[in-house]
Each structure stands twice: as C-alpha cells, then as structure tokens.
C-alpha cells in the first residue's frame, strides 16, 4: 500500500507528475533551499522510492517505521541533528506521512 500511496502522490517511475502533491512538495522544498532540491530531502527520497517501488523495503510502512531499516537510520540522524526530535516537514515525517496516504508535513 505504501508504494501505491507514493505513486498516487505523484512520485512515479517516469518522474514527478505535474500538478500533483509531489510537484507542490518539490516546489516548496526548492524555494526553502534556495532553488534546488537537496539530496536526501523529502522530494528526492520519495522520488527514488516512487521510481523503484521500494517504500516498504526501505522501512516506511503502514504500521510505522521498521527498526533497523533505512527509515530508522534516517529518523535517528534527523533526531540527533535536531536535539532529539524529528522535525515536522523533515524527511522522516514527510516520507512516512505520504507512505501512509497523507499529505506530508508542512514547513
């Protein structure tokens, strides 16, 4: 289900779908980053997963983040960088939200 949610949001094997949640997220992230989408950010992470269909195997599941997975590693690094919490609108919260069918965190 998570891969389907990511694709429905507009992250597809052929790229980001115009007018989608994915294109809106990409635009917001590019503006916040001064014009580019950073590697490892929500947009690049979700697009990689949408292209490969690897959301669940990366640890972003409908039950939450799987221990010992890429997702848990990302969450740990993000929490450490932010003093112990995972920020709203960060990579972990946005990818997990969209994987579960949500609209991601707002910055």
């Amino acid at each position: 289900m998570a891969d389907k949610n990511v694709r429905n949001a507009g992250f597809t094997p052929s790229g980001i779908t115009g007018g989608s949640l994915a294109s809106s997220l990409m635009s917001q992230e590019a503006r916040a980053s001064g014009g580019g989408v950073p590697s490892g950010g929500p947009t690049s992470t979700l697009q990689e997963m949408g292209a490969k269909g690897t959301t669940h195997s990366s640890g972003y599941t409908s039950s939450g983040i799987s221990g010992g997975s890429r997702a848990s590693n990302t969450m740990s690094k993000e929490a450490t960088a932010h003093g112990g919490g995972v920020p709203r609108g960060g990579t972990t919260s946005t990818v997990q939200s969209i994987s579960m069918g949500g609209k991601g965190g707002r910055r």
Side-chain angles (χ1 to χ4, degrees):
M1 184 66 159
D3 288 330
K4 181 180 177 186
N5 291 333
V6 170
R7 288 199 176 119
N8 286 343
F11 298 97
T12 72
S14 57
I16 291 177
T17 306
S20 66
L21 173 61
S23 67
S24 176
L25 179 63
M26 181 175 68
S27 176
Q28 290 174 23
E29 194 173 0
R31 281 195 305 272
S33 299
V37 177
S39 177
T43 300
S44 64
T45 301
L46 283 158
Q47 182 53 41
E48 176 187 348
M49 292 177 185
K52 295 179 180 178
T54 60
T55 306
H56 189 79
S57 64
S58 294
Y60 297 96
T61 74
S62 58
S63 310
I65 292 176
S66 299
S69 66
R70 175 181 172 191
S72 68
N73 186 39
T74 301
M75 182 173 69
S76 177
K77 287 179 183 177
E78 205 168 13
T80 299
H82 290 90
V86 176
R88 182 177 178 187
T91 300
T92 302
S93 61
T94 302
V95 174
Q96 183 61 32
S97 173
I98 290 173
S99 295
M100 294 180 75
K103 297 187 189 245
R106 297 284 178 201
R107 290 183 186 265

